[in-house]
């Protein structure tokens, strides 16, 4: 089936320059929000945890 | 890779990846006595057991899963940087493995504190955040590997075009 970015085969191969798929944007935004929430929780809870603790 | 070798590598990759999740589940289970907190000896024992589970199950399985995943990608038409689902799986797995390795000293410290008979039991507060976080994070590559959502990177597209010429 011809998609937004041209014909694709079973491996997703296509004829036109690909853009970033919608699912990648959704996943990226979700992970970014999750990271921000975790950082906020760390700061609010007194900053007891961070990358420095692992060094 | 030959089809037989590819299947063997795939079996190894699936086995170690699922084993990694199972080892994390065992690590999470060690936190149950800490949360319940009724038996101080059991809390100490749980903290001391976290170290061998981490060193001899979680880490070896994580490294093997990462290595076999990379080999599997490079040895097939999927490639390592040609499709978004492979790239994202790789990035998340490398991130999880890096946090895992950097977390070893903290687990060593917990185990050492637990081994001290006169140590304050309130300092033994488990390690649920990293283990649950790691488990949830690794569910993303698991789902991506199963569904293989479409989406080719620009690098993959250029390689595809070059192969056609």
């Amino acid at each position: 089936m011809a998609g937004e970015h041209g014909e694709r085969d079973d491996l997703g191969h296509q004829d036109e320059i690909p853009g970033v798929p919608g699912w990648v944007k959704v996943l990226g935004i979700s992970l970014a929000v999750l990271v921000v929430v975790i950082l906020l929780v760390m700061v609010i809870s007194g900053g007891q945890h961070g990358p420095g603790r692992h060094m | 890779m030959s089809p037989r070798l590819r299947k063997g590598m795939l079996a190894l990759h699936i086995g170690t990846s699922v084993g990694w999740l199972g080892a994390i589940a065992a690590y999470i289970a060690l936190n149950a006595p800490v949360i319940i907190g009724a038996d101080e000896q059991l809390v100490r024992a749980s903290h001391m057991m976290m170290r061998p589970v981490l060193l001899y199950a979680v880490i070896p399985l994580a490294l093997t899963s990462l290595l076999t995943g990379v080999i599997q990608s490079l040895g097939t038409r999927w490639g390592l940087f040609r499709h978004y689902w492979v790239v994202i799986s790789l990035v998340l797995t490398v991130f999880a493995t890096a946090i895992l390795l950097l977390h070893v000293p903290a687990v060593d410290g917990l185990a050492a504190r637990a081994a001290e008979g006169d140590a304050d039991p309130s300092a033994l507060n488990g390690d649920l955040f990293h283990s649950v976080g790691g488990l949830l994070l690794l569910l993303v590559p698991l789902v991506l590997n199963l569904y293989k959502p479409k989406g080719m990177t620009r690098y993959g597209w250029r390689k595809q075009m070059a192969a056609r010429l």
Side-chain angles (χ1 to χ4, degrees):
Chain A
M1 195 176 97
E4 187 184 347
H5 303 295
E7 294 288 343
R8 292 170 171 166
D9 64 14
D10 60 340
L11 276 178
H13 292 161
Q14 55 199 56
D15 295 328
E16 295 174 20
I17 297 175
V20 178
W23 69 266
V24 175
K25 292 175 186 170
V26 171
L27 184 64
I29 291 168
S30 304
L31 289 176
V33 168
L34 193 65
V35 168
V36 170
V37 169
I38 289 170
L39 288 175
L40 278 175
V41 168
M42 283 177 192
V43 171
I44 291 167
S45 65
Q48 294 291 312
H49 185 280
R53 192 182 127 177
H54 295 293
M55 300 304 173
Chain B
M1 270 197 286
S2 69
R4 180 173 288 188
L5 181 61
R6 195 168 61 234
K7 279 195 175 178
M9 285 303 300
L10 180 61
L12 187 60
H13 179 59
I14 292 171
T16 52
S17 301
V18 174
W20 185 4
L21 292 173
I24 294 174
Y27 192 89
I28 290 171
L30 287 172
N31 283 273
V34 182
I35 295 164
I36 297 166
D39 186 338
E40 189 189 317
Q41 284 296 93
L42 193 56
V43 170
R44 289 184 189 280
S46 294
H47 280 88
M48 289 163 74
M49 279 308 296
M50 285 177 196
R51 187 173 181 273
V53 170
L54 183 75
L55 292 182
Y56 306 123
V58 181
I59 290 177
L61 286 164
L63 294 175
T64 314
S65 170
L66 178 61
L67 182 67
T68 53
V70 169
I71 293 171
Q72 189 70 12
S73 297
L74 293 174
T76 63
R77 287 185 300 166
W78 289 107
L80 201 53
F81 301 107
R82 296 182 184 195
H83 297 268
Y84 279 104
W85 73 267
V86 181
V87 176
I88 293 169
S89 296
L90 175 68
V91 169
L92 292 180
T93 307
V94 168
F95 176 74
T97 306
I99 294 294
L100 188 62
L101 295 174
L102 290 170
H103 190 53
V104 171
V107 177
D108 280 345
L110 271 178
R113 273 205 300 275
E116 295 168 7
D118 54 348
D120 181 11
S122 65
L124 301 172
N125 44 14
D127 189 23
L128 208 53
F129 175 78
H130 288 90
S131 46
V132 172
L135 187 69
L136 293 176
L137 184 75
L138 290 172
L139 292 179
V140 178
L142 175 74
V143 171
L144 291 179
N145 278 254
L146 283 173
Y147 285 91
K148 298 179 175 52
K150 286 190 179 358
M152 188 177 275
T153 62
R154 282 177 178 265
Y155 169 79
W157 181 80
R158 283 199 300 272
K159 283 282 181 186
Q160 176 199 308
M161 288 296 118
R164 284 185 181 180
L165 297 176

